[in-house]
Each structure stands twice: as structure tokens, then as C-alpha cells.
Amino acid sequence: MLDAGKSTAGGQILFLSGQVDDRTIQKYEKEAKDKSRESWYMAYIMDTNEEERLKGKTVEVGRAHFETENTRFTILDAPGHKSYVPNMISGASQADIGVLVISARKGEFETGYERGGQTREHVLLAKTLGVAKLVVVINKMDEPTVQWSKERYDEIEGKMIPFLRSSGYNVKKDVQFLPISGLCGANMKTRMDKSICSWWNGPCLFEILDKIEVPLRDPKGPVRLPIIDKYKDMGTVVMGKLENGTIREGDSLLVMPNKTHVKVTGINLDEKKVRRAGPNENVRVKVSGIEEEDIMAGFVLSSVANPIGAFTEFNAQLQILELLDNAIFTAGYKAVLHIHSVVEECEIVDLIEEIDMKKAKVTDPKKKKTKRKPLFVKNGAVVVCRVQVTNLICIEKFSDFPQLGRFTLRTEGKTIAVGKVVDVPPVGRSTFSA
């Protein structure tokens, strides 16, 4: 959500966990004052480029690292502003835990929550992109219009719960709410001081983050590392989150889809050099055998013995959220596909069947009631369709690798559908027809 204080909270986390010293904070405080943005100095830790500082908006996905007692985290500070949603998608697709920051300030929560507001789109995207656990942080509780009011906190929680449920979250199991102040750091690293807020008896943010169990990935399985970025540094370095398998120094791997054999010459976690990295780690891998300009975001580093497939078409189950201005969804519909770190233009070439989810829930889930092949579908429909792209893309069936098989479709800067890959062409082929 725009201006909810995500970057400030991120900056505060880094400060509290000892990643940033007092002197840096003082420097940012002075800089923010000079630009008459006094309450933004914590955000400067996350928003490092000049454009972001002047506007006070996070444009790229700011990355940083911190540790709690038991766990090492990577913060991906995804932007809340509408025009930067693709960057938010790229941040969320690498995350296991989502921290949804909501402003308690009068009017600010309402703006983000109303129809067309950013909070709604972010929650739907987070769910689709596989963010399994959500921590809903109600921020700016110290604000003069709020003053740690329990009524305001309860009101926001009461409005969010039904919405989170309808987005597919199991609120009891996978969602936790808590009040904080990102600017003064209350209820973040240590439990809330009763003199600040008498009614909160729950845990603080670090405790919650420490106890969350994230989905297990297979360290012995085939290597899958979607590349989100690359750069030159005495060789070629690729960045991304290792979704599956283990990478060791000296390994021979394949860069897909261009089938280039590479050798791992170095691995970095945060700033530390390591010999190996396992699933869920955000890594930087130095490779030899390929030039930096021959790699694009969306390529996947994978094992030679069991490489990821590369296709120009696939079958998907789509849930249509909201089409633009009474548009109908039919064969020939064009949109932008976001799947892991891939961003590609695509076309729906065939609607295969519409699924009636209501009937599917009542009867045996395996025997989904299907309608005949539709010519078009409208908002809210669930449809199986064939999607085509021009360039080869590396994807997996959702049932094999959820992280590499879920996607969103966007048109003119708006998410119109979310979906999962249900079928890909046979091994060795990029299309279904020979």
C-alpha cells in the first residue's frame, strides 16, 4: 500500500537488528531534513536511489538482510505505488512470508482498501505468487489521529479478515496481525511497552517472524534458480532465489532456455562467500562459460541431468479477477504474463473449458463439473485455456514446482487474472503440436 510506511519499517528492522549503525541513521536524518522529508529518514535505508528519495516512493525492490535469533531473512521492500506493481510482483515471487504494512492513519487505510486500492491487489498477488504466510502489520499507531487506539486497530482487523479469507488465506493458520510504529520502532524487536499501549499482550514482529514455518523445498532435488538480475564482476554473476536443490562451488549447471553449460565459480549469501547454498536462499552465483549479455531475467539456472523445460505455449487454469472496461475474455486476448522472474507478452489462443467452482466444491472434487467449451468468459470465471508466448520461457507444472508454475496476467497496468500452469508440451518439444 502506498505510503503505509513499508520502507520506514524495513529501515527500522535493519537498525534494530544491528545492520545499520547510528551514524548512518544520523546521516539519513540530516539528508531527509534537507529535503524537508523528516519522517522519511528510516526509509532512506531501504530506498537507496535518488529518484526514490525525492519522491519518497520505493520504485525498485530494495533488498537487505537481517537476522533474528534463529533465522536469516532477506527483506524485499516491494513498492506500494500503482505504477510499480510489476516490481512488487518480482519481489513477492521470491518471498515465503509477506509482511503487509497497513497505515492506521485516518483515511490512509481506507484509500488503500477501497475498490481499486493497492492493498487489495497486493493481497491477491501475494497469494497467487505463493506467499504462504502473511503478517499484517498495522503501522503508524503512534500517529496523532490514532494514538494506539484499540478501536481503530480492531476496525482495521475486522475489515481485513473477510477480505483475506476471500483471497484464499486461512486466517487462523496463516495470518497474524499486530500493531507497530515503524518510525519509533515500537513492538518490533522487543515486546510492546505497556506504558505505550496497555491493551496489546501479543508478540512483537521479530518473535512472529522467528516462529513462522516456511514451506520446505527439496535440497536433494533438481536445481531451479530463476534469475532476476545479472551483472559483471570479474566474471558473470546471476542473482535470484534458489527454489529447489543445492548449488555447490564447482558444480556444472545449465542456463535455460539457451542450454548453455556453465560452471559455478563462487556463491554469495548476503555479503558472505559460501561453498554451497540450499533451497529458499537468496543467492548471488558467479558462473563461467557465459557472457552477462547472454542472460536475461527469467532465465533459469538448472541441473544438467534434470533441466527445466522451455516452451512457447502451455495450458493454464485461470481465475479472471477484473477485466478492463467491460472487456470479454476470449481467444485472441492479449496480456502481459508474469511468471517467477519472467515478464512476457502472451496471447490466449484457445479456451478449453470453464470450471464451475461452486459445483466442484459440493460434489467429489476429482469429478469437477465442466461446461462445454466456452467462446468467452467474464469476470470471476475459472477457465482452462491455452497460453502462447513468442519467446521460449522456462516454466514448470504447478503440481511439480508451485513456485515456477503460478502466474498473473496484467493489462494496461492492472492485474486481470491469476493462474497456474496445468500442462506443458511433452519433453523435448516447445509446443503441443509436433
Side-chain angles (χ1 to χ4, degrees), residues 318-357:
L318 266 190
Q319 161 114 40
I320 312 287
L321 300 174
E322 209 171 330
L323 298 165
L324 295 180
D325 310 328
N326 307 321
I328 56 168
F329 192 83
T330 174
Y333 192 97
K334 291 185 170 65
V336 179
L337 167 76
H338 290 258
I339 182 162
H340 63 83
S341 50
V342 170
V343 182
E344 277 284 331
E345 295 204 349
C346 73
E347 182 176 342
I348 308 301
V349 288
D350 188 19
L351 299 190
I352 297 164
E353 62 178 29
E354 185 171 357
I355 295 173
D356 188 333
M357 294 311 275

Side-chain angles (χ1 to χ4, degrees), residues 20-308:
V20 185
D21 58 17
D22 277 340
R23 279 184 55 190
T24 313
I25 294 269
Q26 280 160 9
K27 184 184 114 198
Y28 288 149
E29 208 170 347
K30 181 181 180 315
E31 220 173 294
K33 252 199 182 102
D34 293 347
K35 296 198 170 105
S36 59
R37 299 268 187 239
E38 272 163 56
S39 68
W40 285 359
Y41 69 94
M42 274 292 181
Y44 273 26
I45 299 171
M46 292 303 299
D47 293 348
T48 47
N49 80 29
E50 203 50 32
E51 179 197 355
E52 293 176 354
R53 293 185 176 190
L54 286 168
K55 286 189 183 167
K57 290 186 183 128
T58 309
V59 178
E60 292 169 38
V61 174
R63 304 168 73 84
H65 310 277
F66 73 101
E67 292 184 19
T68 58
E69 270 175 53
N70 309 318
T71 322
R72 184 171 70 243
F73 290 92
T74 301
I75 301 182
L76 298 153
D77 178 25
H81 194 264
K82 224 186 192 81
S83 43
Y84 305 126
V85 167
N87 304 50
M88 184 267 168
I89 292 175
S90 124
S93 66
Q94 301 160 64
D96 287 309
I97 302 172
V99 179
L100 180 65
V101 183
I102 288 177
S103 164
R105 184 186 276 163
K106 219 167 184 45
E108 279 189 2
F109 163 68
E110 286 70 14
T111 308
Y113 178 71
E114 278 156 17
R115 199 170 175 74
Q118 289 306 285
T119 309
R120 286 171 167 269
E121 188 172 19
H122 283 174
V123 170
L124 278 167
L125 288 172
K127 185 65 192 164
T128 315
L129 296 163
V131 178
K133 307 283 184 181
L134 213 51
V135 180
V136 183
V137 165
I138 298 177
N139 188 23
K140 303 195 184 179
M141 289 294 292
D142 56 325
E143 222 270 329
T145 65
V146 185
Q147 298 183 347
W148 297 97
S149 150
K150 185 174 186 325
E151 285 70 26
R152 178 64 168 159
Y153 177 84
D154 290 345
E155 177 195 359
I156 293 174
E157 187 178 310
K159 282 187 177 157
M160 285 304 296
I161 286 174
F163 172 61
L164 292 168
R165 271 204 194 103
S166 68
S167 303
Y169 280 100
N170 177 335
V171 177
K172 273 203 174 72
K173 242 179 51 197
D174 298 328
V175 181
Q176 279 181 285
F177 285 83
L178 77 155
I180 66 157
S181 160
L183 192 59
C184 55
N187 206 30
M188 291 184 73
K189 188 181 182 184
T190 49
R191 285 200 170 200
M192 186 85 77
D193 189 330
K194 285 282 186 226
S195 65
I196 296 176
C197 174
S198 56
W199 51 268
W200 180 255
N201 300 312
C204 62
L205 181 61
F206 278 31
E207 277 178 83
I208 288 176
L209 292 176
D210 230 357
K211 287 199 174 81
I212 289 181
E213 288 178 10
V214 297
L216 290 167
R217 314 263 200 266
D218 182 4
K220 292 193 172 74
V223 168
R224 295 288 183 268
L225 182 116
I227 295 167
I228 55 160
D229 208 354
K230 58 3 162 10
Y231 58 92
K232 270 197 179 97
D233 180 11
M234 322 248 300
T236 304
V237 181
V238 297
M239 284 168 65
K241 179 177 168 203
L242 185 54
E243 293 290 5
N244 207 68
T246 301
I247 293 183
R248 292 179 180 81
E249 222 174 281
D251 277 359
S252 292
L253 295 169
L254 265 185
V255 173
M256 292 293 287
N258 50 2
K259 298 184 177 160
T260 311
H261 285 262
V262 296
K263 192 172 179 169
V264 176
T265 56
I267 305 168
N268 273 54
L269 287 183
D270 313 345
E271 304 306 315
K272 290 197 283 284
K273 225 174 137 40
V274 292
R275 297 293 297 270
R276 53 176 282 267
N280 285 348
E281 296 281 13
N282 282 286
V283 290
R284 273 180 288 194
V285 182
K286 187 178 278 194
V287 291
S288 63
I290 193 167
E291 290 302 317
E292 177 251 354
E293 53 266 26
D294 296 329
I295 299 173
M296 287 167 66
F299 283 15
V300 177
L301 203 51
S302 72
S303 33
V304 178
N306 185 346
I308 189 169

